[in-house]
Amino acid sequence: MFKQFIELQWKSFFRSSSMGKGLILKLLMGFFAIYILAILVLTGGGLYFLLKKIFPEASPMWTLSQYMVYWVLAELFFRYFMQKLPVMDIKPLLLLPIKKSTIAHYILARSGVSAYNLMALFFFIPFGMVLLYQGYAPINVMVWLVSILGVVLSINYINFLVNKSEKALILIGGSIILLLALDYFEIWSVTALFGPIFHGLYAYPFTVFIPLALALLAYVVNFSFLKDRISLDQSLRTKKTEAKASDLTWTKRFGDMAPFLQLDLKLIWRNKRTKTQVFISLLFVFYGLIFYTQEVYAQMYSIYAFLGILMTGIFLTNFGQFIPAWDSAYYNLMMAQNIPLRKYLESKVLLISVSVVVMFLLTIPYAYFGWDVLAINFATALYNLGVNIPVILFFGSFNKKRIDLDKSPFGNMQGTSATQFLIILPILGLPILLFSGLYFLFSLEVAVIALSLLGIAGLALRTKLAHLITQQYHTKKHGMIAGFKEKNG
């Protein structure tokens, strides 16, 4: 029966209307996946020697075991946003003499061989092979790898149990921050507590049954939950949920833009993919720590300009590049109404502008690393406000691919076309090239002033630019509507 399910999924993939249209994109994603797996293999193989160099007095296995608690929590945190239970169209199957338990087992088994689980194995197996080469006990290493498989499967199935709970997300994220703080400020040694626990999976082979039992328990709970909900009546029953109305009356101060702002804010908060963009943007505030704290990047102002554009404009890029595809489900209805398209676009501008300002304010503490850092971030924020926002809205008029907001955000290429790849050139490439050229030809001050003046000029011309962009959207309106109607496109 599993073979027949696989054949059905395979035929569904190759017979879909989007197969031919997105073939090149699928091939690119395939090559990218191979690249990521190759990086994981190389990193896993080199980890032993890296840990030996950083901690020469400790065993690499012991050092790795100390920090594995953070890996488990980080996996749960990111899988919350990225991984969803694999689904299949079960309505036709429910009319056939197929046991519900068979369908449930297939769905859960299919999730067990997901890319997320393979990524972990492609990292740990090369590390285990190096351990064998370095003379570690073969039985212990092999059993340890089986234990890692049990931990990975446990994470996989536990994620499905907590995936719908925002309280679980807060608990996991809070635990990561709390444990890191306790370790960093030397209040309590988290690594000393969890190190022996994870090292025991290697030192004592019989402990392999603990992660395997945990994985089996999580599987059984998921199976019981899933089996009870596989029925034709369940799929036909109207879903009733308690509506949670947010108080967005404060948006009325923006006049005609208020309805569109309310729509955008509700869309962002109620859908996993858009909500993920917000969390990713906030996490990118810490991206600068990777570079500002390293002496090798000191005085490399081109890198600083890149960081400024990216950190202050991360939401601009992630959210803005898919305008108006976020509204693709009802875009044709909106365009059929007597609504001002310009107000619709201005509401997007306002939302993105607020994000740029907020992200800049969050980067102000980087002034600790020098006032030049603050000046560059301020200039790049102005550039994002005045230049990049109109640019990304203009490119948005070429978006014709529908986005299903119910899909998982990770590995989801819905709405992605050549436009999303081309837009990187003017958004990131142009300001960095301009800044670098002026910096090397003249000085840092000239480069900062030039970016700031371009941003101010863009803000001064915003009325004229808004008029031109609105005309572009009117020209492309029917093409976008036709594209958004193609659900498999």
Side-chain angles (χ1 to χ4, degrees), residues 102-325:
T102 302
I103 300 175
H105 278 306
Y106 171 74
I107 294 175
L108 292 174
R110 184 181 162 197
S111 75
V113 291
S114 69
Y116 305 96
N117 298 337
L118 291 177
M119 288 172 66
L121 297 179
F122 270 75
F123 177 82
F124 284 106
I125 290 177
F127 181 77
M129 293 175 66
V130 174
L131 291 179
L132 292 173
Y133 181 78
Q134 294 295 323
Y136 281 69
I139 294 179
N140 294 65
V141 172
M142 298 304 293
V143 172
W144 178 75
L145 288 175
V146 175
S147 299
I148 292 297
L149 176 61
V151 174
V152 170
L153 291 176
S154 298
I155 295 172
N156 181 77
Y157 293 119
I158 290 174
N159 172 61
F160 297 142
L161 296 174
V162 304
N163 194 258
K164 298 298 182 182
S165 172
E166 291 187 359
K167 292 181 180 179
L169 173 65
I170 296 172
L171 178 62
I172 296 169
S175 298
I176 295 174
I177 295 173
L178 177 61
L179 294 180
L180 286 172
L182 291 173
D183 246 343
Y184 180 80
F185 294 106
E186 299 182 351
I187 299 174
W188 184 50
S189 180
V190 176
T191 54
L193 174 66
F194 289 96
I197 295 175
F198 285 97
H199 189 264
L201 297 176
Y202 166 79
Y204 308 103
F206 64 87
T207 57
V208 68
F209 295 107
I210 297 176
L212 292 179
L214 181 60
L216 180 61
L217 177 62
Y219 181 95
V220 171
V221 174
N222 271 287
F223 172 77
S224 177
F225 178 84
L226 194 59
K227 182 183 176 182
D228 292 340
R229 282 156 181 78
I230 296 179
S231 65
L232 192 59
D233 291 340
Q234 184 75 20
S235 62
L236 295 176
R237 188 180 298 126
T238 302
K239 184 177 181 181
K240 297 180 181 180
T241 56
E242 180 182 352
K244 296 182 180 179
S246 302
D247 185 11
L248 298 176
T249 55
W250 56 270
T251 59
K252 292 182 179 179
R253 70 185 67 178
F254 297 105
D256 294 337
M257 290 189 293
F260 304 116
L261 277 175
Q262 293 176 7
L263 194 65
D264 284 333
L265 292 173
K266 291 176 182 178
L267 179 144
I268 289 172
W269 189 247
R270 293 176 180 177
N271 297 281
K272 181 170 286 190
R273 184 169 177 179
T274 47
K275 193 188 299 184
T276 301
Q277 304 296 349
V278 176
F279 283 108
I280 290 175
S281 299
L282 294 174
L283 288 174
F284 253 85
V285 173
F286 303 100
Y287 189 59
L289 292 174
I290 300 175
F291 297 90
Y292 296 139
T293 57
Q294 302 295 323
E295 288 293 333
V296 67
Y297 298 112
Q299 309 303 313
M300 293 179 65
Y301 293 116
S302 295
I303 297 293
Y304 289 2
F306 166 76
L307 290 173
I309 290 289
L310 194 62
M311 288 192 296
T312 61
I314 184 63
F315 184 79
L316 180 156
T317 305
N318 285 346
F319 183 81
Q321 66 178 318
F322 293 111
I323 292 173

